[in-house]
Amino acid sequence: MRLSTSNQFDAAIALLQSRQQRLQETQQRLTSGKRIEQASDDPTAAARAERAQTTIGQADASQRALDASRNAMTLGEAALGDAAELLQQVRETLVAAGNASYTDAERKGLADKIKGLRDQVFAISNRNDGAGTYLFGGQGTDGPPFLSLPRHDASGAPMPDGGVRYVGTPGTISTGNLENYPLSVDGRSVFEQTRTGNGSFVTAPEPNLIDPNIAQGGWIDSGRLIDPSKLTGHDYRIDISGSAPTQTYAITDLTSGTPVALTDNTFKPGMTLSFDGMAMTIAGAPRDGESYSVRPSSNELRLFEVLDSAIDGLRTPQRTGAQVAQANHIALRDLDAAMGGVQNMRAQLGEQLNALDGAETRLSTLKFYSQSEKSAAEDLDMTQGISDFQNQQNGYDVALKTYAMVQRMTLFQYLNN
């Protein structure tokens, strides 16, 4: 077989180019630290690295959502803390207003103080996060979530739709692609959906059955639950008849329209009445025809209505001691319930912040695992890479020297020598 000189030259040059290309590729991998520069280098590893990169991107997006949620929850918790402090001041003022020696003018001064605190709580309910989003806007609102409407018309008559109303969309907004992180607080559940009364039933005075203009002489407390299994969920009315010391009482189930059976209907002020799993005390000096209602609790207690009612009560002149005691007792009872609702939501936000800390730890773990997976799939083993580079460089040098020797083995070179 005859091999021409040009064939040998071509083969040597092709070998040099091949070795040089592999040397350049290895050098590029050493520079980038990646053993996969394009998917064709290792399709399986490239797909593995791509999946890991997708997970890393999701973790980064979730981290941004988590940071936004933490900011909203932190601001919401701080706002509720401010509201709780203001409501505690309202409570202290109401306790002071129960002083029987206070005059109407002094109680009006206390009402003005509560009005100022109430306005501050209202401002908190419409607080935003500094980015145009309202903390208690629920699922969103075009403006402030709470709207204050006139409570009285020009003649002083109460308006049925007056007062503070929630105009946002109830619920919460969540974000995040791996987990859901809340971005808002349901303002209605905080300020307008507290359990009324003692949480099981609501006691309240009613107009005198004989003469509605007769001033109230007694007052009823909040009551307490003594046997939940006996609760009926019915409406009741307690009627006081006669004059002390020979008064009697009757209890009527208004829902069924039947009287409640009593073993003894003798009434004495300060005595505790028990029926259908409930107990309550009527104190003071109830007058003939005086009545009180007992109704099931509901999730309809509105904080601002509680504050407005307390303010109206303190501004009402010429009330009897029983009326003052009754109004103050109801105001304190409802305020405590509303404060409990605020504190409960604040505790929920605190738990949510704890949950976000746990979620952040999980995200960090997921991202670290994905980064390790991506690195294992595409990163270059530097020790092996350097070794390969040196071997290929040596091979290239040998090939280059061989080519130089072959180049000198030509007839023309021989004749020149």
Side-chain angles (χ1 to χ4, degrees), residues 32-347:
S32 65
K34 305 294 183 183
R35 70 182 185 86
I36 300 176
E37 295 295 338
Q38 50 189 357
S40 59
D41 293 341
D42 188 340
T44 301
R48 179 182 168 193
E50 185 64 28
R51 288 194 296 269
Q53 182 61 44
T54 300
T55 303
I56 292 172
Q58 292 176 343
D60 288 338
S62 289
Q63 182 63 52
R64 291 191 293 271
L66 187 148
D67 291 340
S69 177
R70 177 184 282 117
N71 180 64
M73 295 301 100
T74 300
L75 293 175
E77 193 273 339
L80 292 179
D82 294 341
E85 291 181 5
L86 293 171
L87 293 176
Q88 181 59 37
Q89 295 180 46
V90 172
R91 193 183 194 285
E92 294 170 359
T93 306
L94 284 175
V95 171
N99 191 328
S101 64
Y102 275 14
T103 64
D104 289 343
E106 289 172 321
R107 290 196 175 90
K108 183 179 182 300
L110 294 178
D112 293 339
K113 178 181 178 180
I114 294 177
K115 176 64 167 58
L117 295 171
R118 178 259 192 207
D119 291 343
Q120 293 181 61
V121 176
F122 178 74
I124 290 173
S125 71
N126 283 329
R127 184 178 292 180
N128 61 50
D129 61 0
T133 301
Y134 293 94
L135 296 177
F136 303 104
Q139 295 187 42
T141 174
D142 294 334
F146 288 90
L147 181 64
S148 183
L149 301 173
R151 300 180 59 243
H152 302 89
D153 59 20
S155 65
M159 300 182 66
D161 295 328
V164 176
R165 291 292 180 268
Y166 184 71
V167 295
T169 303
T172 59
I173 300 175
S174 298
T175 186
N177 53 1
L178 298 178
E179 296 183 35
N180 288 327
Y181 310 122
L183 290 175
S184 64
V185 182
D186 186 355
R188 188 177 69 170
S189 66
V190 178
F191 297 102
E192 292 192 347
Q193 289 188 326
T194 307
R195 294 286 293 178
T196 57
N198 58 23
S200 299
F201 57 90
V202 185
T203 59
E206 296 293 327
N208 192 292
L209 295 176
I210 296 176
D211 184 355
N213 295 319
I214 296 179
Q216 178 183 346
W219 59 276
I220 188 170
D221 68 0
S222 301
R224 53 205 171 276
L225 186 64
I226 57 177
D227 190 349
S229 63
K230 293 183 179 179
L231 279 180
T232 63
H234 292 181
D235 292 345
Y236 298 88
R237 189 183 70 234
I238 302 173
D239 300 322
I240 307 297
S241 301
S243 301
T246 59
Q247 288 181 310
T248 60
Y249 75 98
I251 302 175
T252 304
D253 185 334
L254 299 178
T255 303
S256 64
T258 59
V260 175
L262 303 173
T263 56
D264 183 6
N265 68 343
T266 301
F267 176 80
K268 295 186 179 301
M271 71 179 294
T272 298
L273 311 183
S274 301
F275 59 95
D276 291 348
M278 301 176 291
M280 63 282 306
T281 300
I282 298 177
R287 295 185 170 93
D288 184 25
E290 209 157 286
S291 65
Y292 304 88
S293 64
V294 181
R295 296 185 175 88
S297 293
S298 63
N299 293 326
E300 297 178 352
L301 184 64
R302 302 184 178 192
L303 171 61
F304 293 106
E305 286 187 355
V306 172
L307 298 177
D308 289 339
S309 295
I311 293 169
D312 289 345
L314 291 175
R315 287 176 173 173
T316 302
Q318 299 180 348
R319 292 185 299 171
T320 66
Q323 288 174 322
V324 171
Q326 182 72 83
N328 250 38
H329 181 81
I330 291 176
L332 285 170
R333 177 198 68 191
D334 292 346
L335 180 62
D336 286 343
M339 289 176 65
V342 170
Q343 294 289 10
N344 287 340
M345 181 56 72
R346 188 183 181 189

